[in-house]
Amino acid sequence: MRTVRTEENIASVSESVAEDREMSIRRRSQQLGLCYSTTWKILRKDLDVKPYKIQLVQELKPNDLPQRRIFSEWALEKLAENPLFYRQILFSDEAHFWLNGYVNKQNCRIWSEEQPEAVQELPMHPEKCTVWCGLYAGGIIGPYFFKDAVGRNVTVNGDRYRSMLTNFLLPKMEELNLVDM
């Protein structure tokens, strides 16, 4: 549908943005009966709004900085003693992958004149898959998926983590001959 940037169309796009700042241009243009390029021009040129991505950041606690400094000083001492010490370190982490359509910030834009403080509420206990992986100088160990006896996804607790260490990581390290890690 070919349309133009009339005052009426600009007003309807402006109302639409006021109602829902997170709607995509494609959906907004379909909803308003405007072509995609007209909607884009109205947003950018007439309303002077830009698409912002939400930012996901790691929360830092007050004790995090001193703990990082202590670790860094310890690691520097170890490197002074043995320049190849870094080859004896296994860094690991686990990640949670939400199975309920958790926001992929790459697909999320918020149209606004200024950077919004965007927040997305999540369900209290969403279904998720937890995966562990280790990284060392020689490569990657893992991934390890936390599952129960019947193969259902489970969250990590002390017993499950200990089981992963005992039944997965230690045998894998023996298999790779990583005895001095």
Side-chain angles (χ1 to χ4, degrees), residues 10 44 46 93 119 148 157 161:
I10 293 169
R44 294 290 298 176
D46 298 314
D93 201 2
V119 174
D148 64 12
N157 61 26
Y161 202 85

Side-chain angles (χ1 to χ4, degrees), residues 97 129-132 142-148 153-154 164 168:
F97 296 92
C129 174
T130 304
V131 183
W132 176 94
Y144 176 86
F145 294 86
F146 286 90
K147 296 189 177 283
D148 64 12
N153 296 319
V154 292
M164 182 275 299
F168 174 75

Side-chain angles (χ1 to χ4, degrees), residues 20-122:
D20 185 357
R21 292 187 171 274
E22 298 182 23
M23 186 184 299
S24 70
I25 296 178
R26 187 167 317 285
R27 182 165 292 145
R28 193 178 312 278
S29 63
Q30 289 170 350
Q31 189 179 68
L32 297 173
L34 300 171
C35 69
Y36 180 93
S37 61
T38 299
T39 307
W40 186 90
K41 287 174 189 171
I42 290 171
L43 287 166
R44 294 290 298 176
K45 295 181 179 184
D46 298 314
L47 300 178
D48 195 31
V49 294
K50 300 166 191 70
Y52 292 97
K53 292 182 186 178
I54 61 171
Q55 294 184 17
L56 306 175
V57 296
Q58 181 71 44
E59 177 185 15
L60 294 175
K61 304 286 185 188
N63 200 29
D64 288 342
L65 184 60
Q67 290 293 337
R68 287 177 177 200
R69 185 175 186 94
I70 290 167
F71 172 78
S72 299
E73 290 169 353
W74 172 83
L76 286 171
E77 286 174 19
K78 291 293 188 180
L79 282 168
E81 293 170 15
N82 176 4
L84 298 178
F85 172 70
Y86 68 92
R87 292 186 179 190
Q88 297 173 313
I89 299 174
L90 173 70
F91 291 97
S92 70
D93 201 2
E94 55 277 337
H96 307 288
F97 296 92
W98 279 261
L99 306 176
N100 68 343
Y102 177 67
V103 165
N104 175 353
K105 69 177 191 164
Q106 298 301 328
N107 298 330
C108 182
R109 300 291 185 274
I110 301 169
W111 292 88
S112 179
E113 297 84 15
E114 297 177 12
Q115 175 71 31
E117 297 298 324
V119 174
Q120 181 189 15
E121 293 184 7
L122 299 173

